[in-house]
Amino acid sequence: MTFTQFPLDDRVQRAIVAAGFQTPTPIQAAAIPVALAGGDLLGTAQTGTGKTAAFVLPLLQRLLATPAAGPRTRALILLPTRELAGQVHEAIRQLARFTKLRSATVYGGVGMAPQERALREGAEMIVACPGRLLDHLQRGYVDLRALECLILDEADRMLDMGFLPDIRRIVSQVPAARQTMLFAATFAPDLDRFAAQILRDPARVAVGTVAPASTVEHTVYPVPAHLKMALLLALLQRISSDAVLIFTRTKHRADKVTAALRRAGYAVGVLHADRTQKERQRALDAFRAGTVPYLVATDIAARGLDVSTVSHVINYDIPENADTYIHRIGRTGRAERNGDAFTLVTTEDYDIVRVIERSLGERLPTQTLDGFNYQQAATAMDARTGGSGRGAGNGRPHPGLAYLSSPNYRAALEAARKTGG
Ligand code: ADP
Ligand code: MG
C-alpha cells in the first residue's frame, strides 16, 4: 500500500514524499479513506502510530478541494497540551508546505496578542487547547461560523484532564453541519459516551487496541494470597449464571483451580494449550451450550474465544498487562448484555492494577465481599493455588490498596474507602 492510492492533491502528495513517508501506517490506511469520504470518525491507535497525519492529510485535501471565498477558519483541532499543539502545528506546516494554507496555534502560558492577530487574520486551521480558545472566543474576534471540520486529538487525555465542560462550550459555538473526528490512544466507556454526544454515526477505526465493551462493570477484590481459592468459591456461590469464565496465569494453575472447583461440586471445563484440540473443543462446546457453566482458561487458549453469553469474567490471576485485561473482559458484556469483570488481587499485583487503570482511563472500583472471613487461615486447597503465580511484587502499594498490608484488613479497608483512598 502506498500514499499514491489515496486521492490526494498533488501538492499534498509531494509533501508526503518530502516528509519521507513511504507507506501509510495501519491507522492511516484505515482512517484516511473514511475521512476523505467526509464521514465522522472515531479512531483509536497507540501513541506513535501516525494519528496526526491520519487526520491532517484528509483535512488538507478537503481545504484544497473546495477553496473558501475569503480568509476564514474552516478547521479546529482541539488537543490537551501546549506541546501537542506545537507538534500538530508543525506536522501541518510540513504537510501543507506546498500550499498556501495556514494554521495558528492557541494555548495558554504565552501572550494573547500574537494569537489574537493570527485569529483575526483568519488562519484556515486553528490548533488549540480548549481553555485558551475559550478566552479568545469570549473576546469576540474568533469566528467559527464557517467551520467545516472539528478534530479532537488525544480525546482520552482531554477527558482525563477535565476538559469536558470546556469542549462542550466550544462545540456549542460551531456549526452542527460539520465533519467531526476524534482520536485517542486508549478507549474507555466514558470516551464512548462522549463520542456519542459529539459524533454523528461515526466510523470506528481501532488499530492495535481492543475496545472494552461499555456494558462491563469492573470490580477489584483485594485478597490475601492464601485466601484466593476461598474467595473464588465465595464469589461463585453468589453468582447465578450459566456462563462464568475464569482466567489463570498458567496451565498448571488452570488445572489446580479446575480440580479445586470440581472438588467443591462445580461442573467445570478447562481450556489450555496442553489439552488436545478435541478436549478443548469439547470443553468449549459444553460451555457454549450451557451444560458446563464454568470454564477455566489461560490467555493463550482463550484467544479469539467468542461466547456471547458470558456473564462474568473472573481474573483469578490478574493479567500481565492492560491489553490482556481488555482482551479477557472483552469476553463478557458482549452485544449489550451486562457483564461483570472481577479481579482478585494480592499485594504482588499493585503495579499491574495501576497500569490497567491508566490504560482504561478510570479507577477500578475496589470491594470486599460481605460475610467473607478475611482473617481465616489458609486451607490445604489455598496452599496449592494461592498467590498470583508470579514472582514477588516490587511495587509501592497502590493508594487504593494500601490496607492490604494492614493487620486489620477489613477495618483498614473501610477506612480507606471512606476517605476515598
Ligand atoms: P500519534 O499521534 O499516533 O502518537 P504521530 O502522528 O505523532 O503519532 O506520529 C509519530 C511519528 O511517526 C511522527 O514522527 C511522524 O512524522 C511519523 N509518521 C507518521 N506517519 C508516518 C508514515 N506513514 N511513515 C513514516 N513515518 C510516519
Ligand atoms: Mg498524536
Side-chain angles (χ1 to χ4, degrees), residues 73 79 90 108 114 194 211 216 287 343 399 407:
T73 297
L79 26 69
E90 193 46 45
F194 172 57
V216 176
F287 185 63
T343 304

Side-chain angles (χ1 to χ4, degrees), residues 230-282:
L231 184 66
L232 174 63
L233 288 169
L235 281 169
L236 291 181
Q237 272 172 21
R238 288 158 212 237
I239 295 171
S240 90
S241 162
D242 50 14
V244 179
L245 186 53
I246 299 158
F247 282 99
T248 63
R249 192 176 300 276
T250 65
K251 316 179 264 213
H252 183 65
R253 293 170 64 77
D255 282 335
K256 294 277 185 191
V257 169
T258 304
L261 292 180
R262 284 191 180 141
R263 274 197 300 276
Y266 289 96
V268 189
V270 62
L271 213 60
H272 64 61
D274 275 0
R275 313 282 290 182
T276 65
Q277 187 54 43
K278 211 166 149 197
E279 286 171 324
R280 282 195 260 171
Q281 195 55 52
R282 210 179 305 135

Side-chain angles (χ1 to χ4, degrees), residues 93-322:
R93 232 176 45 88
Q94 191 183 33
L95 294 170
R97 63 194 289 182
F98 299 119
T99 76
K100 291 200 164 66
L101 298 171
R102 291 156 307 164
S103 111
T105 52
V106 168
Y107 48 72
V110 296
M112 295 281 281
Q115 295 177 0
E116 177 183 339
R117 214 172 304 126
L119 291 170
R120 283 186 189 278
E121 281 166 11
E124 288 86 355
M125 293 165 275
I126 297 179
V127 183
C129 299
R132 177 54 78 93
L133 181 63
L134 277 173
D135 292 344
H136 285 291
L137 278 167
Q138 269 150 18
R139 296 182 178 201
Y141 44 75
V142 186
D143 185 355
L144 297 179
R145 282 173 305 178
L147 202 81
E148 299 164 38
C149 191
L150 174 67
I151 295 160
L152 295 106
D153 192 20
E154 305 234 2
D156 45 348
R157 277 180 72 195
M158 287 201 282
L159 289 194
D160 279 354
M161 291 166 71
F163 283 132
L164 186 54
D166 286 355
I167 294 171
R168 283 227 176 87
R169 286 173 64 199
I170 293 167
V171 170
S172 73
Q173 300 192 38
V174 307
R178 60 167 197 263
Q179 180 181 32
T180 310
M181 296 188 253
L182 188 150
F183 286 87
T186 56
F187 196 87
D190 59 338
L191 186 68
D192 206 24
R193 281 190 291 276
F194 172 57
Q197 291 164 13
I198 71 158
L199 298 176
R200 238 178 307 160
D201 193 19
R204 285 163 182 270
V205 176
V207 173
T209 52
V210 185
S214 54
T215 50
V216 176
E217 274 199 38
H218 312 258
T219 311
V220 164
Y221 286 96
V223 61
H226 70 277
L227 295 180
K228 271 183 129 177
M229 193 63 222
L231 184 66
L232 174 63
L233 288 169
L235 281 169
L236 291 181
Q237 272 172 21
R238 288 158 212 237
I239 295 171
S240 90
S241 162
D242 50 14
V244 179
L245 186 53
I246 299 158
F247 282 99
T248 63
R249 192 176 300 276
T250 65
K251 316 179 264 213
H252 183 65
R253 293 170 64 77
D255 282 335
K256 294 277 185 191
V257 169
T258 304
L261 292 180
R262 284 191 180 141
R263 274 197 300 276
Y266 289 96
V268 189
V270 62
L271 213 60
H272 64 61
D274 275 0
R275 313 282 290 182
T276 65
Q277 187 54 43
K278 211 166 149 197
E279 286 171 324
R280 282 195 260 171
Q281 195 55 52
R282 210 179 305 135
L284 199 52
D285 289 345
F287 185 63
R288 279 218 180 92
T291 52
V292 176
Y294 302 87
L295 186 64
V296 179
T298 60
D299 292 302
I300 295 169
R303 192 174 288 161
L305 179 71
D306 183 358
V307 183
S308 57
T309 55
V310 173
S311 68
H312 294 74
V313 165
I314 301 181
N315 295 311
Y316 183 79
D317 295 323
I318 197 167
E320 299 274 1
N321 54 50

Side-chain angles (χ1 to χ4, degrees), residues 1-9 13 24 28-30 32-33 36 57:
M1 167 130 218
T2 63
F3 281 101
T4 51
Q5 287 171 261
F6 298 130
L8 294 168
D9 189 282
Q13 292 286 7
Q28 290 164 0
I32 290 173
L36 283 173
L57 293 173

